[in-house]
Amino acid sequence: MSDRRGRRSAGLLLFRRAGGGTGGLEVLLGHMGGPFWARRDAGAWTIPKGEYEPDEPAWEAARREFREELGVEPPEGEALPLGEVRQKNGKIVTAWAVEADLDPAAIAPGTFLMEWPPRSGRIQEFPELDRVAWLGLDRAREVIVTAQAAFLDRLAEHSL
């Protein structure tokens, strides 16, 4: 599945108001797991998301992937549609924002298997997201997957 064109992902972008509602917005992002991303920061953070099949509604996929990637139930609350973006790899990502507070320490990330080191024949398990953190919008823009920055902009516009 190396060809990502035509693939679709859906995810949830949690946000909260810093300082108990008196400060700016913060968003919950995850740092991608695995050896390729281990020493990277810029472009290595993402909204919790994952791929889905055409017969699954994107909203249901976003909630399922949140649960799978973070190991906790997605929060209830009003979902603000953030639309779609096309990432550099051709994948189309659909996202919703939900206002909620979540303790990053509560996260129990899902895992994936891959051969590592390459061509070694050794299969190792890695977390989907090796850490999650609340980030202010400026910091989030510095580290999020480039195309996904549009979701931050759309959230900020809605929250004015």
Side-chain angles (χ1 to χ4, degrees), residues 10-34:
L12 297 180
L13 176 63
L14 296 193
F15 70 97
R16 68 183 185 186
R17 296 169 203 291
T22 60
L25 291 180
E26 293 180 327
V27 293
L28 186 75
L29 296 181
H31 184 270
M32 290 184 266

Side-chain angles (χ1 to χ4, degrees), residues 6 14 19 27 33 36 43 58 60 71-72 92 95 126-128 138 150:
L14 296 193
V27 293
F36 180 76
E60 290 178 20
V72 296
I92 296 171
F126 297 97
E128 296 264 0
D138 289 342

Side-chain angles (χ1 to χ4, degrees), residues 50-98:
E51 291 187 4
Y52 65 99
E53 296 300 323
D55 61 343
E56 182 180 16
W59 170 248
E60 290 178 20
R63 293 181 54 79
R64 175 182 50 77
E65 287 294 335
F66 187 92
R67 189 179 307 108
E68 288 177 9
E69 292 215 349
L70 300 182
V72 296
E73 288 299 314
E76 297 298 327
E78 182 182 347
L80 170 67
L82 297 177
E84 297 180 342
V85 298
R86 181 179 299 273
Q87 296 185 159
K88 198 183 306 184
N89 62 7
K91 182 185 288 184
I92 296 171
V93 180
T94 305
W96 289 265
V98 176

Side-chain angles (χ1 to χ4, degrees), residues 36-52:
F36 180 76
W37 301 104
R39 297 178 193 262
R40 297 174 190 240
D41 198 41
W45 291 76
T46 182
I47 66 169
K49 63 169 183 49
E51 291 187 4
Y52 65 99

